[in-house]
Every structure is written in C-alpha cells, then in structure tokens.
Amino acid sequence: MASTHKKVIVRKLDRDSVHGYVAAEEFLAANKVELLSTTGNVVLIDLSEIRGVYFVRDFADSKSLQRKTFTTRPRVEGLWVRLRFRDAEMLEGLMPNDLTQVRAEGFFVNPPDMRGNIQRIFVPRSALLELTVLAVIGAAAKHRRQIVENQAPLLFSEMPTE
C-alpha cells in the first residue's frame, strides 16, 4: 500500500459504515468516493449517501467522535464552524481560512479532539442543512498588527532631511 493512501471510515446517512483506504488528494470522482475496502475491493459510494469521510489513525477505534464541540476557543488558526447535518446532529470543527481549500463537493473539517482517532473529516455539502462560521481564529490579529506597524509615526532620527 502506497503511503499516499489514507485510512478512512466512510459513514453513510443510513448509519452504515465502510472501512478502507483512499488516495490522499484524489478520492472524489464524478460525485463518488473511490475507496479500496479492507477486503481489497474498489468501492464507489455516491456522495449523496455519505454523511462523512473520517480520516482515522486506526480502524479498531471506530466509535464516533468523543467530543463534538470545543470546550474553549480553539487556538489553531482557521474558521471555527458549526455543522448541522440533515439528521439534526451538530458538530463543531476548524476549517482552513483559505478559499482555495474549499471544494465544490464539500468541506474538510478538523474535529475538536485533535488527539483522538479521527484526524480530519470530509463532509459532503449534500449531508448538511447548515454551516455557520462561529469565529475567525488568528488571521485578524496578525493583519491588524501589520496595519499598526505600517502606520507608526516617524521618529526624529527617521525624518527625511532637506
């Protein structure tokens, strides 16, 4: 197995799940997820049937997320979002604050418990009722600091001489 293949658990809307491996970058093809199952078969699952593609460290610990919300404000830079699924379940996560990272098919979200088994989740747009941005973490303070530095008044030693 090439190192570019990642362990995933695909959770379907009907509460069924499939364990397998996907290519790290190109696992979507024609609105389907291409998965190499643990039995060695290539399986195509339609995005409209999928609740989430959970990138995991280990298949053995395949329970659902232990924590679905952040206990405090996240410290990692990005968009703090709340997802509401079609089955009314809620999940908070972090998304990159970069429009080039947003795919037409769905969103990559980092779960609240980064030390758990689930490292990242791909959530298809079709599985969601609502996506709410709760906060922008990190980028605004850095931008504000650059503006203040650029607008600092000149000191006597820095003033141009005639």
Side-chain angles (χ1 to χ4, degrees):
M1 180 69 49
S3 65
T4 59
H5 285 75
K6 304 296 180 188
K7 292 179 185 178
V8 297
I9 299 172
V10 177
R11 297 198 194 281
K12 295 183 178 180
L13 291 169
D14 63 3
R15 303 287 183 186
D16 189 21
S17 63
V18 181
H19 295 64
Y21 302 88
V22 296
E25 295 298 322
E26 297 301 321
F27 63 95
L28 295 173
N31 284 332
K32 295 183 186 288
V33 171
E34 185 175 334
L35 174 84
L36 178 63
S37 71
T38 54
T39 59
N41 299 322
V42 175
V43 179
L44 293 174
I45 305 170
D46 195 54
L47 275 179
S48 63
E49 300 174 16
I50 295 175
R51 186 175 190 282
V53 179
Y54 293 73
F55 291 78
V56 297
R57 298 179 203 274
D58 189 19
F59 291 132
D61 184 19
S62 63
K63 294 180 277 182
S64 64
L65 290 167
Q66 298 298 323
R67 257 190 11 220
K68 296 184 181 192
T69 60
F70 288 98
T71 54
T72 61
R73 181 180 174 92
R75 295 182 184 211
V76 180
E77 188 173 298
L79 298 176
W80 178 9
V81 295
R82 179 176 294 137
L83 308 171
R84 189 163 60 104
F85 291 92
R86 291 192 326 201
D87 62 1
E89 188 174 335
M90 301 279 244
L91 171 68
E92 288 183 6
L94 279 171
M95 292 176 52
N97 189 10
D98 183 2
L99 289 176
T100 62
Q101 300 288 322
V102 177
R103 300 180 71 130
E105 300 90 354
F107 308 97
F108 280 103
V109 177
N110 294 333
D113 186 10
M114 291 300 293
R115 293 186 181 124
N117 187 43
I118 299 171
Q119 297 175 311
R120 182 167 79 148
I121 307 167
F122 176 77
V123 181
R125 289 178 190 259
S126 59
L128 295 175
L129 280 179
E130 183 178 286
L131 183 139
T132 306
V133 176
L134 300 175
V136 178
I137 311 294
K142 190 184 302 180
H143 180 68
R144 187 172 38 246
R145 196 174 324 121
Q146 289 173 349
I147 291 172
V148 169
E149 288 173 3
N150 291 339
Q151 293 178 350
L154 296 176
L155 299 176
F156 293 109
S157 62
E158 296 174 337
M159 292 203 157
T161 57
E162 294 182 287

